[in-house]
């Protein structure tokens, strides 16, 4: 699972005011898109899916790091996890700007955000292609998926290492 502090940081970093257009950003399970589109010309829904072990990055022995301090060895144990961050963007005509233009401009902003800001919060495993424009009721929509990687870890100390004598004299 993605740690809640990482989710909060991602959510808080999603651009919400590109230019002069206000954007509604909400988790997909908490948002009634049709209602929000009455107030906002652009609505973004966020969801996470597909949490799984990253078998390529996770060592077989699950030892991610080893530190030695004052004769004690501390192992950082765990695994790397991958999940998909899915952003669905909906747009309606704002009166002066057509929905298609709003959608394209915001998707370009999201691509820049994924390249520039998101890596400062979480490791990016893959940025998937943006979907084609489709109709959703009276709105146009596109989807943007980013595969993110987090570490699930715990520490394990080995105090027995401090008691190992190393006398190499013969």
């Amino acid at each position: 699972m993605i740690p809640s502090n990482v989710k909060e940081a991602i959510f808080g970093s999603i651009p919400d005011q590109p230019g002069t257009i206000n954007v509604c950003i909400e988790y997909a399970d908490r948002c009634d898109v049709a209602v929000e589109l009455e107030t906002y010309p652009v609505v973004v829904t966020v969801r996470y899916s597909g949490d799984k072990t990253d078998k390529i990055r996770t060592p077989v022995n699950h030892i991610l790091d080893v530190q030695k301090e004052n004769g004690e060895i501390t192992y950082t144990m765990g695994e790397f996890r991958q999940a998909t961050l899915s952003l669905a963007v909906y747009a309606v005509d704002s009166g002066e700007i057509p929905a298609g233009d709003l959608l394209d401009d915001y998707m370009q902003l999201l691509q820049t955000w994924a390249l520039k800001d998101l890596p400062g919060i979480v490791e990016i495993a893959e940025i998937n292609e943006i979907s084609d424009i489709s109709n959703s009721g009276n709105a146009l929509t596109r989807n943007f998926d980013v595969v993110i990687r987090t570490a699930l870890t715990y520490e394990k100390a080995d105090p027995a290492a401090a008691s190992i004598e190393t006398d190499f004299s013969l």
Side-chain angles (χ1 to χ4, degrees), residues 4-163:
S4 59
N5 63 328
V6 173
K7 285 182 182 180
E8 289 171 10
I10 291 171
F11 189 85
S13 72
I14 298 170
D16 62 355
Q17 287 192 326
T20 59
I21 301 295
N22 286 333
V23 176
C24 173
I25 301 169
E26 189 57 79
Y27 286 104
D29 61 337
R30 302 176 196 163
C31 184
D32 185 339
V33 174
V35 170
E36 296 300 340
L37 284 170
E38 293 173 7
T39 307
Y40 298 92
V42 177
V43 174
V44 180
T45 61
V46 180
R47 71 180 175 89
Y48 297 93
S49 63
D51 188 12
K52 64 181 181 178
T53 300
D54 184 345
K55 294 179 182 176
I56 294 172
R57 287 284 309 274
T58 300
V60 174
N61 63 5
H62 291 268
I63 298 174
L64 302 180
D65 190 32
V66 179
Q67 297 290 321
K68 182 178 178 187
E69 188 175 315
N70 299 329
E72 182 174 278
I73 297 176
T74 303
Y75 298 95
T76 301
M77 307 292 292
E79 63 185 20
F80 289 99
R81 309 282 304 163
Q82 279 189 359
T84 301
L85 164 62
S86 296
L87 301 164
V89 181
Y90 303 84
V92 293
D93 292 340
S94 71
E96 56 209 40
I97 304 172
D101 291 348
L102 284 172
L103 196 58
D104 288 345
D105 290 348
Y106 192 78
M107 295 310 284
Q108 186 174 17
L109 185 64
L110 277 181
Q111 286 178 307
T112 304
W113 166 79
L115 290 171
K116 180 182 167 213
D117 300 329
L118 193 56
I121 299 168
V122 67
E123 185 179 346
I124 307 298
E126 181 180 2
I127 297 176
N128 294 330
E129 66 185 55
I130 293 175
S131 69
D132 287 339
I133 292 178
S134 61
N135 287 312
S136 177
N138 66 339
L140 297 179
T141 185
R142 281 190 156 181
N143 296 311
F144 182 51
D145 292 339
V146 179
V147 180
I148 60 175
R149 184 179 290 125
T150 58
L152 179 62
T153 65
Y154 66 94
E155 290 191 351
K156 178 178 157 185
D158 186 1
S163 65

